[in-house]
Amino acid sequence: MDDSKLTVRAVERALDILLCFTDSSDLSLTEISQRVGLHKSTVHRLLASLEVKGFILRDPASEKYKLGFRVWELSANLTQSDDPALILLPEMERLRDQIGETVSLYVRDGMERVRVQAVQSNQAIRRVAPIGARLPLYVGASSKILVAFAGDEVQQQLLADSSWPQGLDRAAFVAQLAEARTLGLATSVEEREPGAAAFSAPILNHAHRLVAALAVSGPANRLTPDMMKEHAPLLMEAARRMGTMVK
C-alpha cells in the first residue's frame, strides 16, 4: 500500500509547523504560514491545538510562537544508549579541543544530510553549525562521505536526482567519491559556502556499516588544505573510536 495513503493530513501539517522551528527560535503566524505553504487561518487553528497540548507557546507581547515545554519533555526520554548524537558528544568535544574548530555529526536522510549533533568552536571567528540543519548531498565534505560509503544505489539516485545543479560536474564528483572511499577522508573548500572549509571521515560500526559522517569545519583562511592534512589523523582516529561505541 502507498505510504501516502496511510498519513493524516492534519497531523502532517502540524508536524510541518513544528519542523519550522529547527532553525528559528520564534516565528510569527505569517512566517509560519509562508514556510508551510498554508493559509493563515489553517495555520492559526493548528497552532491553537499545539498550544493547548503544550508543544507551542505564544508570546502575547510579540505575537510570536516558539516551542513549548512538551518538546523538551519528549527529548528528555530519548534512549541515550542508542542515540549516536548523545553517545558521541564527549568524543566530539575532545576533537574540538584538539583541533580548535567546530565539529559536526551528519546522517543521510534521503537525498539530504542532516546535522544531528554539533560542538561549536571556542574561537571568536568560527563556523556556527545549527543542529537539525538540512543540506544537499551533492556538495561538501560530509556529503561525499555519506554518499561514498552508502553504496552504489544511493550514488546513482543522487546523480539522477532532479535537484542536481546545472554546471556541477558529475564525473568529478564520482572521482571524489572514489577518493573518499580509498582514503577514508573527504575535504571541501568553499564548495557550499564562500569562506568556509571542512574535512570529514566516516564513522563505521563493528559490522563496517556507515553510522554517520564526522566533520570538522571552519574559516577557509584558517582551515587550509595543509592544516586539514595535518589534522586528518586526529579526525580519522576520533571516527574510529566512535565506531566502536555505536551499533
Side-chain angles (χ1 to χ4, degrees), residues 10 31 56 96 106 117 120 134 167 180 213:
E31 290 171 328
I56 288 290
R96 184 271 313 275
Y106 292 94
Q117 188 60 280
Q120 311 295 344
R134 287 180 172 269

Side-chain angles (χ1 to χ4, degrees), residues 135-147:
L135 302 166
L137 270 184
Y138 49 73
V139 66
S142 296
S143 292
K144 296 170 191 175
I145 290 297
L146 291 173
V147 178

Side-chain angles (χ1 to χ4, degrees), residues 8-240:
V8 178
R9 180 63 62 86
V11 176
E12 287 184 334
R13 288 175 169 177
L15 292 173
D16 285 341
I17 288 174
L18 290 175
L19 290 171
C20 288
F21 294 91
T22 56
D23 58 358
S24 299
S25 60
D26 55 7
L27 293 166
S28 68
L29 175 61
T30 299
E31 290 171 328
I32 297 172
S33 176
Q34 291 173 343
R35 291 192 180 200
V36 298
L38 295 173
H39 194 276
K40 285 184 181 180
S41 61
T42 301
V43 173
H44 187 268
R45 289 195 299 271
L46 291 167
L47 283 168
S49 296
L50 290 168
E51 188 176 1
V52 168
K53 291 296 185 180
F55 288 96
I56 288 290
L57 294 175
R58 178 178 174 273
D59 184 346
S62 65
E63 295 190 351
K64 287 197 171 187
Y65 297 86
K66 61 182 180 180
L67 291 176
F69 296 116
R70 279 298 175 91
V71 174
W72 309 120
E73 290 176 18
L74 288 176
S75 66
N77 289 315
L78 282 171
T79 306
Q80 296 192 16
S81 61
D82 295 330
D83 187 354
L86 297 175
I87 296 171
L88 304 179
L89 184 57
E91 283 290 340
M92 294 175 66
E93 293 173 338
R94 176 180 176 181
L95 183 62
R96 184 271 313 275
D97 293 340
Q98 288 177 318
I99 299 180
E101 302 291 354
T102 296
V103 177
S104 299
L105 193 69
Y106 292 94
V107 297
R108 183 178 64 84
D109 184 16
M111 293 294 101
E112 295 179 309
R113 59 180 162 118
V114 183
R115 185 183 292 116
V116 295
Q117 188 60 280
V119 179
Q120 311 295 344
S121 167
N122 292 323
Q123 304 204 47
I125 299 175
R126 60 187 178 182
R127 285 274 294 117
V128 176
I131 296 173
R134 287 180 172 269
L135 302 166
L137 270 184
Y138 49 73
V139 66
S142 296
S143 292
K144 296 170 191 175
I145 290 297
L146 291 173
V147 178
F149 287 85
D152 292 339
E153 182 178 351
V154 172
Q155 178 178 320
Q156 294 305 317
Q157 287 178 350
L158 178 62
L159 293 173
D161 194 83
S162 60
S163 65
W164 187 274
Q166 290 187 348
L168 187 61
D169 191 337
R170 286 179 170 83
F173 184 77
V174 171
Q176 291 171 349
L177 296 181
E179 182 178 45
R181 282 194 297 270
T182 299
L183 299 178
L185 182 76
T187 63
S188 65
V189 179
E190 298 186 309
E191 289 185 2
R192 187 180 63 83
E193 181 181 341
F199 60 123
S200 179
I203 297 176
L204 305 173
N205 65 10
H206 296 284
H208 210 67
R209 181 180 63 83
L210 179 67
V211 175
L214 179 66
V216 175
S217 60
N221 62 350
R222 199 164 64 217
L223 207 56
T224 62
D226 286 343
M227 185 63 71
M228 287 190 282
K229 183 178 180 179
E230 177 184 343
H231 289 315
L234 290 174
L235 172 68
M236 297 171 73
E237 174 58 23
R240 186 199 65 76

